[in-house]
Amino acid sequence: MKRTRISVAALLLASQLGGGCASTSSTTTSPTAAVGTATTEAMGQLSTATAPAAPTAPPFRVVSEQFADVRILRYQVPGFEALSAQQKELLYYLYEAALSGRDIIYDQNYKHNLRVLRTLEAVWAANEERRTASTNQQQIGHANGFATYAKRVWFSNGIHHHYSTRKFVPECTPAYFKELIFATDSKLLPLEKGESVNQFVATMTPILFDPNVAAKRVNQEAGKDLLKTSAMNFYEGVSQAEAEAYYKKKINPKDPQPISYGLNSKLVKDKQGVVQERVWRTEGMYGRALKQVVLWLNKAVEVAETPEQKLALQKLVEYYQSGDLKKWDEYNIAWVHDTKSLTDVVNGFIEVYGDPLGYRASYESVVSFKDLEATKRIKAIGDEAQWFEDNSPIKPEHKKKNVVGITAKVITTVVEAGDAAPSTPIGINLPNANWIRKEHGSKSVNLGNIVDAYGAADAGGMLEEFAYDEAEMQRARQYAGLAGKLHTDMHEVIGHASGQINKGVGTPKETLKSYASALEEARADLVALYYLPDAKLQQLGVVPSPDVAKAEYDNYMRNGLMTQLVRLQLGETVEEAHMRNRQLVAKWVFEKGKAENVVEKLTRDGKTYFRVNDYTKLRGLFGQLLRELQRITSEGDYAAGKSLIETYGVKVDPVLHKEVLARYATLNIAPYAGFIQPRLVPVEQDGRIVDVKVEYPTSFAQQMLEYGRKYRLLPNYN
């Protein structure tokens, strides 16, 4: 649960001019981005230095297309050409390993997703023919709607929205879908053994078109059976009570080095009704895909940069082959100690946001190499981790006496896969096991080139619409980019690595259950918010002015109280962990500061605004809430954690929500963004890879179809 996500709505709000990165709550902009609304071509430009005599290269277009609530972007991989041949070869093998697990995330998200995916791939050509060649406007409308649906499925790794997890349906009729099926060669359709095309249509139609079938991938509504009301494919035939009872028997809360129970398995019942785990390993569930992942990892082992990196990759292979979670811990320890390699990879079943109970993890991979220059800022913070821990407002007994091994860096992303793509994190802090972090340390990274691409895609308009006055906007234009970078750095490097759990208290997923993710993200955010105004950051040379913190405080309160609501439909409550986190923090400090008017709600010309009146007192409130959240985490106080989330993090003011949606609609900005991945192409000589080239595909649909052909490694049902 140590990953920072971002939405375009948050990204665009704080600044349209300053450079930088954003945390889950802040915005990202580019030094070259124009103020105000820009054309698609202008938004796609990245500044590059060129010799006067050289021919002018066409600008790299960052923005590819927009559909539904999504923009598709592209990112570059600067510095790749300067890597050694061995490093490039290693990255190529890790790239192939990453993409070889692509099918897994679809199956994890919903049991019918792979069949849906292969149906879309099969009928894509027939639909494109109708979309581009037909003169029948009604048919063109259906074809456009179906094409948008296919892209949404590709973007979300399934039929549920990647963020809200609610099911979306095609913008065409079931009759049109049936026409496409019968216009397609039946050999291309993902038919089950003995299934006719008519039977196939009858089965797939409600899966695609009925909004009540598998309505929510991850349900977090209090009082419901979270497993029976969620469509994710981590459990089958098992109730929430049965799952919790199963792990209560297995887990010893006093174990100082607990494995990550349930991380790499599906919980099911056998024929006798006994609950058991189907483990994800090369000779188990998902075996065909994992064997291919292992094949490429073994190739990577042979060209590893350092002995430490080689050991980590070998441990990862052993884990995939055995499914043994002790091997997963051994891998994470080896990975944390690999600090000298320029190249790196995240690969595995890692984040548990997709499981409403927080046990099972989604497949993901991020392949990267270190940006040495950009790392200086984040490293300066990581090197002072003990100071930040010692000076935290949390209780002394909840502080780590010896913060060890925080490796902080900015990375250049080469490819992302699984749950990390097309929608991507911008910050990562791993491993997740608290005891490994305490005894061996952690790695905190900022995905530098991803952040740069978000910045270059800035469309403008959000700041003018939602900031209260010119002073606030000017502060954002000057400092919000840097403030966002620092928030991400502090959230990942210091926030997730801070604090400790009391002896004899179980892990947060055991004690805080379905509220653990939101509470952990709020805790990390609060660490960042508390320290942003601290003189220590100016002493370290990473903050030039107190206005940096003010810009972030302005933005965090606007976003948490108001602008993040653009991601919800009217009538919905907040369920996603990061959104709950931000609303909890913003609403709590707003309510607690009302008596002294710390943050003021204002109305002007019928529009609502939030203005920070006292930044010092606001920092104090952030510190108070941080102290309480750390206590809840350290003591495993489920009742207090639930109360905070349900009181401040879930409910939405319907009047304000309606207003925000109306104001946002005038900006024509999609609230989410994701990426077309670069393509690595090996150059061979005498059967050996002597170089690797980077290509930048321009079509999202074509890349998805290419992936479907090349990385189709699992059966329709697993």
Side-chain angles (χ1 to χ4, degrees), residues 203-478:
T203 298
M204 297 304 293
T205 297
I207 291 172
L208 269 66
F209 288 91
D210 189 338
N212 297 312
V213 173
K216 195 83 186 292
R217 176 166 62 85
V218 182
N219 181 40
Q220 292 284 7
E221 186 179 350
K224 302 288 186 180
D225 185 312
L226 301 185
L227 300 189
K228 290 185 176 180
T229 57
S230 297
M232 47 79 222
N233 194 26
F234 292 131
Y235 303 83
E236 192 157 351
V238 180
S239 70
Q240 179 178 348
E242 288 171 326
E244 290 174 342
Y246 177 83
Y247 286 109
K248 188 174 183 180
K249 289 179 181 178
K250 293 178 75 75
I251 296 173
N252 175 10
K254 296 183 180 180
D255 184 354
Q257 297 183 350
I259 60 171
S260 301
Y261 289 94
L263 192 76
N264 65 336
S265 67
K266 180 177 179 178
L267 202 64
V268 299
K269 285 182 179 178
D270 63 17
K271 293 179 180 179
Q272 287 72 44
V274 178
V275 177
Q276 61 181 15
E277 292 177 301
R278 292 186 63 207
V279 178
W280 307 329
R281 56 191 179 92
T282 56
E283 299 301 328
M285 190 172 176
Y286 300 141
R288 283 170 56 181
L290 292 177
K291 284 178 182 177
Q292 196 69 12
V293 173
V294 164
L295 181 150
W296 292 107
L297 289 176
N298 276 326
K299 290 179 180 290
V301 167
E302 297 304 314
V303 290
E305 285 190 68
T306 64
E308 291 83 3
Q309 186 180 58
K310 183 175 184 178
L311 176 63
L313 292 171
Q314 288 172 330
K315 291 291 184 183
L316 182 56
V317 167
E318 291 175 11
Y319 160 66
Y320 276 139
Q321 290 174 331
S322 67
D324 183 351
L325 285 167
K326 288 187 181 297
K327 289 291 183 184
W328 174 245
D329 288 343
E330 291 175 12
Y331 158 69
N332 277 285
I333 292 168
W335 179 75
V336 164
H337 289 296
D338 172 27
T339 59
K340 296 177 182 178
S341 302
L342 188 72
T343 57
D344 206 351
V345 64
V346 171
N347 187 300
F349 305 110
I350 297 170
E351 301 294 354
V352 297
Y353 299 105
D355 178 359
L357 301 187
Y359 284 97
R360 319 195 118 66
S362 302
Y363 172 81
E364 71 173 87
S365 186
V366 178
V367 179
S368 67
F369 58 92
K370 188 186 297 186
D371 182 333
L372 295 173
E373 182 60 32
T375 291
K376 292 177 181 178
R377 180 196 72 248
I378 194 170
K379 184 177 183 300
I381 293 171
D383 288 347
E384 293 292 333
Q386 190 65 59
W387 185 92
F388 289 111
E389 186 79 353
D390 293 343
N391 289 275
S392 172
I394 65 177
K395 292 182 177 181
E397 61 266 31
H398 297 154
K399 295 179 181 180
K400 290 179 179 175
K401 303 301 183 288
N402 182 30
V403 179
V404 299
I406 295 180
T407 302
K409 59 184 178 179
V410 175
I411 61 172
T412 298
T413 306
V414 176
V415 73
E416 297 173 293
D419 196 37
S423 177
T424 171
I426 59 165
I428 299 171
N429 182 280
L430 293 171
N432 284 333
N434 286 308
W435 71 267
I436 295 179
R437 301 162 68 80
K438 181 179 179 180
E439 296 179 20
H440 298 276
S442 61
K443 286 183 181 179
S444 296
V445 301
N446 181 304
L447 284 65
N449 58 330
I450 296 295
V451 169
D452 289 342
Y454 275 128
D458 184 353
M462 285 288 288
L463 190 62
E464 286 84 350
E465 180 58 46
F466 291 102
Y468 179 69
D469 57 23
E470 182 58 36
E472 199 173 298
M473 286 188 278
Q474 183 57 38
R475 198 161 44 237
R477 293 186 184 114
Q478 187 170 3

Side-chain angles (χ1 to χ4, degrees), residues 15 18-19 474-484 544-545 547-549 551-552:
S15 168
Q474 183 57 38
R475 198 161 44 237
R477 293 186 184 114
Q478 187 170 3
Y479 292 119
L482 175 60
S545 164
D547 280 353
V548 173
E552 184 64 8

